[in-house]
Amino acid sequence: MISIVKDLAAEALFVSHLQPSECPTRQAVEQAVTAMILLHGSDGCAAEVATEFGDHPEVAVRRMSWVHAELTGVIAPRRATALH
């Protein structure tokens, strides 16, 4: 279940307008993920990711790497806090 949620969050952040150069805050990342899921739905986010990988694979790979690094910073601290 957690991997499904993380995958959806990754797709949503990927299609958002946030950029690595903005060094977004945790709150900005969470807001962007929520906004994209509400706007596109899970299938829409996945479809946009697929389109970008098809049209611009070299850019999409770099963006997805950034997305996963951002989500690790957002999801991991919350999980660690919940365990204590």
Side-chain angles (χ1 to χ4, degrees), residues 34 38 45:
T34 300
L38 291 174
C45 289

Side-chain angles (χ1 to χ4, degrees), residues 14-15 40 43-53:
F14 183 94
V15 301
H40 299 290
D43 290 343
C45 289
E48 291 211 23
V49 169
T51 298
E52 284 303 308
F53 269 92

Side-chain angles (χ1 to χ4, degrees), residues 44-68:
C45 289
E48 291 211 23
V49 169
T51 298
E52 284 303 308
F53 269 92
D55 293 346
H56 309 285
E58 65 289 343
V59 176
V61 168
R62 285 193 307 267
R63 180 153 179 90
M64 191 56 82
S65 293
W66 169 75
V67 162
H68 282 288

Side-chain angles (χ1 to χ4, degrees), residues 8-59:
L8 176 56
E11 292 165 352
L13 183 56
F14 183 94
V15 301
S16 77
H17 296 291
L18 285 182
Q19 296 298 315
S21 61
E22 296 176 58
C23 299
T25 64
R26 178 182 179 159
Q27 183 179 6
V29 169
E30 290 174 353
Q31 289 173 343
V33 167
T34 300
M36 292 300 99
I37 291 170
L38 291 174
L39 180 64
H40 299 290
S42 60
D43 290 343
C45 289
E48 291 211 23
V49 169
T51 298
E52 284 303 308
F53 269 92
D55 293 346
H56 309 285
E58 65 289 343
V59 176

